[in-house]
Amino acid sequence: MGSERQVASTKIVMGNWKMNGSAAKVATVLTALPSFPPNSDITICLPFPYLAQGVQLLDDKHCVVGAQNLSEFADGAYTGDVSASMLADIGCKTVLIGHSERRTFFAESDEVVAAKLTRAKHARLRCVVCVGETLIERDSGLAQQRIQQQLNAVLKQLDSDAQALAFCVAYEPVWAIGSGRAATEAQIAEMHQFIKNIIGTKFPVLYGGSVTDDNAANIMGIANVDGVLVGGASLDASKFAAICNEGLGK
Ligand code: 13P
């Protein structure tokens, strides 16, 4: 699958279905996924209505289910919201926080992202905080400044007792998402180094944005890339399984 570069150690692979799929599609794709080895670190983030179905279907595959969002509130009169404890209650292990599509289409501020992180942490969910710059920000030389700003909002929550694997950052340049144009190796290497300098080396940093079964191995071979967050390609069982296998160094 175009894997010129060898992936050194087990990488984290997460799929994000976004607002795609149906109960039938979830059943088809998740059933078609192989059973991964016990040391795998693989997650599929499904739409809310299919989370419980996903938990059931993936029960024995060493692949866990994640949500794509959660409420910034604990519980109560917040019609339409889904709380962190509800996610944990149904067997969801992970949650994406502050995806650029949430920031853009639902006006999620850095403060809201921080509040959601607090909720997810208390529910013992693995938190994947998404950061990324727009093309205008990159072209204006403001990419690092924007990432710094997004990370500043959550940094105080990375207390020294934060479990390394309970918190990840996903670097997803907005212009690379769904565009078929992944960031270059140099751009990924530079930004991941920058992020590690800010959050410390114990927390994993994933790359997302037009990751496919063709480029995943190369991307996961870049320094400071601990895994990938996959959108479109995660809707296809064979492509997603191929990316997972690259992450396992197979
Ligand atoms: P694509 O892989 O479809 O570009 O989506 C990336 C993404 O937004 C994952 O969260």
Side-chain angles (χ1 to χ4, degrees):
M1 282 292 164
S3 48
E4 293 127 45
R5 192 194 291 253
Q6 195 68 33
V7 173
S9 56
T10 300
K11 301 287 179 176
I12 300 167
V13 177
M14 295 195 186
N16 174 12
W17 276 33
K18 310 193 179 185
M19 198 171 71
N20 293 298
S22 61
K25 168 110 179 153
V26 171
T28 306
V29 174
L30 271 47
T31 304
L33 286 178
S35 189
F36 296 102
N39 65 331
S40 308
D41 193 341
I42 300 169
T43 302
I44 300 194
C45 300
L46 295 168
F48 287 135
Y50 309 128
L51 290 173
Q53 184 191 4
V55 169
Q56 219 169 24
L57 287 166
L58 293 173
D59 185 36
D60 54 356
K61 293 199 177 195
H62 300 294
C63 173
V64 301
V65 169
Q68 302 167 17
N69 184 32
L70 79 165
S71 178
E72 71 209 81
F73 304 107
D75 54 43
Y78 301 101
T79 302
D81 251 5
V82 174
S83 72
S85 61
M86 290 172 184
L87 295 176
D89 192 27
I90 60 151
C92 192
K93 302 290 182 207
T94 301
V95 65
L96 303 182
I97 303 177
H99 191 282
S100 68
E101 287 150 16
R102 302 282 330 158
R103 295 179 191 259
T104 305
F105 300 124
F106 302 94
E108 272 187 19
S109 63
D110 290 342
E111 291 65 36
V112 167
V113 169
K116 290 184 174 191
L117 177 59
T118 306
R119 297 296 170 204
K121 269 175 48 179
H122 286 159
R124 301 193 171 282
L125 293 166
R126 186 189 212 177
C127 308
V128 184
V129 173
C130 304
V131 299
E133 80 286 358
T134 63
L135 193 56
I136 294 176
E137 286 162 345
R138 176 160 284 271
D139 288 346
S140 320
L142 297 173
Q144 290 192 346
Q145 191 176 313
R146 181 65 191 121
I147 302 304
Q148 174 90 57
Q149 214 173 30
Q150 290 171 332
L151 289 174
N152 282 348
V154 299
L155 267 183
K156 350 182 218 319
Q157 299 200 45
L158 297 190
D159 30 70
S160 47
D161 61 340
Q163 284 289 315
L165 284 176
F167 176 85
C168 303
V169 167
Y171 170 56
E172 298 202 298
V174 177
W175 46 272
I177 295 177
S179 66
R181 187 163 70 95
T184 65
E185 185 172 329
Q187 287 168 329
I188 295 173
E190 184 186 34
M191 195 59 92
H192 279 236
Q193 179 68 65
F194 180 72
I195 293 169
K196 293 257 180 183
N197 288 346
I198 296 170
I199 64 171
T201 50
K202 80 168 177 173
F203 299 110
V205 182
L206 316 182
Y207 168 79
S210 296
V211 174
T212 66
D213 47 334
D214 284 328
N215 63 16
N218 271 339
I219 290 173
M220 288 190 278
I222 299 171
N224 294 312
V225 175
D226 300 298
V228 286
L229 178 54
V230 185
S234 69
L235 291 156
D236 180 307
S238 64
K239 287 183 184 172
F240 189 64
I243 296 170
C244 294
N245 284 331
E246 298 287 12
L248 288 161
K250 280 194 181 172

